[in-house]
Amino acid sequence: MTSVSDAAAKRENVIIFDTTMRDGEQSPGASMSLDEKLELAKIMEEMGVDVIEAGFPIASNGDFEAVREVSKIVKESTIAGLCRAHTMDIDRCAEAIKPARRGRIHIVIATSPLHMKHKLQMEPGDVLDVIARTVGHARNLCDDIEWSAEDATRSEREFLRRAVETAIKAGATTINLPDTVGYTYPTEYADLFRYMVENVDGADRVIFSTHCHNDLGLAVANSLAGVQGGARQVECAINGLGERAGNAALEEIVMALRVRGDRLPYDTRIDTTHITRASRYVSAITGFPVQYNKAIVGKNAFSHESGIHQDGMLKNRETYEIMRPEDVGQAPSSLVMGKHSGRHAFRAKLKDLGYELGQNALNEAFGRFKDLADRKKHVYDDDIVALVDDALARGAERIRVKNLRVVAGTEGPQEAQLTVEIDGEERSASATGDGPVDAVFNAIHVVAPHGATLRLFQVHAVTEGTDAQAQVSVRLEEDGRIATGQAADTDTLTASAKAYVNALNNLFARKEKTRPDPAIASGF
Ligand code: KIV
Ligand code: ZN
């Protein structure tokens, strides 16, 4: 008979490769600032992500800088940078990951007939030559080389096998077979890995990896099937962020492996209690809301509304719960503290919520908490999360909102009187608008003239009740550059002004960096 410890000993590890900052950032509108990427990298490292793909270094100076700065601060996770199969991409990537304790060069080239003919305009034999040359070049610069066959699931199997063998022979250590267009289905994808593991010369020397897009809603199912077929690395993104319909969601992959360990006997290194925080942070910095009924991290993922379900839950949670909210860090939002709570209790509360702030950040957050407690009867965990994330989202601020008064009501025009500080100098203006939010944004335009267009304005209540904080996300676009901003406040109009100004600050910061070369950023 097999004992429990025998079974546990047989469990294999699956490497979690997160691509939120690379493939995730390729979703239109989901760009992140350097500070946001650094904070996200810290969250991922604490969560136990094995490989963090921090960007595509050749695409822009901003991407290069992000990969290099993430490489400097992360110690536990491997830092990967993406490259096309070009020597200059690979050299740039090697430079970016140089400070990393563990760095990886990730090279991609397409292998499907469609992509080779129309996109690369190359003969299959030439593609094999390029693979051998570029992987070999990269291997001279770094010991950890991932090679990806773009559009692998629409590639001819025999050619794909030869391409994989070529990459292994040239020194690749991980072989990724992406379902680039979200076309495959689970049994087919599992079969592809089984075939490669059994037929590729040198398969035993590499880790096979999945990378699934969600065009048919199958990304997670396909990734898990890939693991059953022999893959031991899964590429995924927090909240399923990614090109078009997104990538396989990290939180769903990890929890499926954990909850269904009977069928999927694989472990990950992820500390699942960090999942909710990571999800909220990615949603806040990208301005992409998490749908209420999203698996694992949706607001309703652990809510039980019907009487029958509530009755069952009271008798035994397992009647309707296959995992506990606390397993994913979604503790029930509890009443925390009031205005008499001290700094010590506040620091302990932050720690419970997964935040370890330095002294200055703690003092700042505590001051804001006291202000909030003065204005709001009950301060909940979610209020504290919004308050701290709001502060983290604000990096270097050229513009700061100092004062706002708004005249609103049934009789227009609504009017906003605003005072801001720009590079240390106070400026005031009034403006009218079609509604109070429009008036506020017009006033910002007067004090800080800019050419950006508002692409998204979104408000949600952090908790229940009329004194709830409003969390506002704003997305602005100027000349193809996109920046998001967010802010939380019990006054919706103040939160709106601060979120807009936060987006402007991020846009200004981004302007100082070189724009990505569209030819590079749009294809491999
Ligand atoms: O979807 C894809 O093929 C990719 C590769 C770069 C891995 O994102
Ligand atoms: Zn992808």
Side-chain angles (χ1 to χ4, degrees), residues 362-392:
L362 178 74
N363 290 346
E364 208 258 343
F366 185 65
R368 285 158 48 78
F369 159 70
K370 283 290 196 183
D371 287 348
L372 183 64
D374 270 341
R375 282 180 286 145
K376 192 170 185 293
K377 206 155 122 209
H378 302 303
V379 178
Y380 295 88
D381 286 356
D382 286 349
D383 286 313
I384 305 257
V385 168
L387 185 141
V388 179
D389 282 349
D390 182 33
L392 290 173

Side-chain angles (χ1 to χ4, degrees), residues 31 474-477 481-485 503-504 506-508 510:
S31 62
V474 163
R475 187 180 306 143
L476 298 177
E477 185 182 345
R481 286 186 201 88
I482 292 172
T484 53
L504 266 187
N506 290 338
L507 196 62
F508 293 153
R510 212 148 288 177

Side-chain angles (χ1 to χ4, degrees), residues 23 68 75 135 191 315 377 394 398:
D23 207 318
R68 198 187 45 197
K75 300 286 171 247
V135 172
D191 188 52
K315 290 176 175 142
K377 206 155 122 209
R394 274 180 287 112
R398 285 189 57 200

Side-chain angles (χ1 to χ4, degrees), residues 188-202:
E188 182 182 54
Y189 201 48
D191 188 52
L192 176 65
F193 282 94
R194 242 173 248 124
Y195 177 84
M196 293 296 160
V197 170
E198 281 165 16
N199 294 290
V200 159
D201 234 9

Side-chain angles (χ1 to χ4, degrees), residues 267-463:
D267 290 324
T268 70
R269 279 197 326 114
I270 300 293
D271 175 349
T272 60
T273 61
H274 291 257
I275 282 178
T276 298
R277 176 164 178 231
S279 160
R280 282 185 180 154
Y281 188 66
V282 168
S283 170
I285 62 178
T286 56
F288 280 35
V290 174
Q291 78 196 52
Y292 279 15
N293 58 335
K294 162 90 178 57
I296 318 295
V297 288
K299 204 176 166 86
N300 291 350
F302 295 94
S303 301
H304 302 274
E305 192 66 31
S306 91
I308 295 174
H309 287 207
Q310 286 177 350
D311 182 54
M313 284 289 291
L314 289 172
K315 290 176 175 142
N316 182 335
R317 285 173 74 158
E318 286 177 21
T319 49
Y320 289 101
E321 240 175 43
I322 57 167
M323 57 200 151
R324 297 170 311 161
E326 43 285 29
D327 294 340
V328 298
Q330 221 191 84
S333 188
S334 59
L335 185 61
V336 277
M337 298 166 291
K339 59 180 167 189
H340 301 298
S341 309
R343 195 179 300 262
H344 200 67
F346 183 68
R347 186 204 290 265
K349 182 47 131 188
L350 286 182
K351 195 152 192 274
D352 278 358
L353 293 171
Y355 296 95
E356 300 253 14
L357 301 187
Q359 199 53 45
N360 289 348
L362 178 74
N363 290 346
E364 208 258 343
F366 185 65
R368 285 158 48 78
F369 159 70
K370 283 290 196 183
D371 287 348
L372 183 64
D374 270 341
R375 282 180 286 145
K376 192 170 185 293
K377 206 155 122 209
H378 302 303
V379 178
Y380 295 88
D381 286 356
D382 286 349
D383 286 313
I384 305 257
V385 168
L387 185 141
V388 179
D389 282 349
D390 182 33
L392 290 173
R394 274 180 287 112
E397 289 182 303
R398 285 189 57 200
I399 315 176
R400 268 185 347 112
V401 174
K402 294 214 63 173
N403 199 280
L404 176 69
R405 290 197 70 74
V406 181
V407 180
T410 50
E411 302 299 316
Q414 287 76 18
E415 187 187 348
Q417 296 153 14
L418 174 73
T419 302
V420 297
E421 205 176 82
I422 305 183
D423 297 329
E425 188 189 309
E426 258 188 31
R427 278 195 221 169
S428 298
S430 334
T432 54
D434 189 5
V437 174
D438 193 39
V440 170
F441 291 176
N442 288 341
I444 295 174
H445 205 280
V446 178
V447 288
H450 59 83
T453 307
L454 181 68
R455 291 284 175 225
L456 171 111
F457 170 67
Q458 190 174 275
V459 185
H460 88 262
V462 172
T463 57

Side-chain angles (χ1 to χ4, degrees), residues 480-510:
R481 286 186 201 88
I482 292 172
T484 53
Q486 49 279 144
D489 199 284
T490 47
D491 184 312
T492 309
L493 295 170
T494 302
S496 304
K498 288 184 173 172
Y500 195 102
V501 162
N502 181 218
L504 266 187
N505 281 324
N506 290 338
L507 196 62
F508 293 153
R510 212 148 288 177

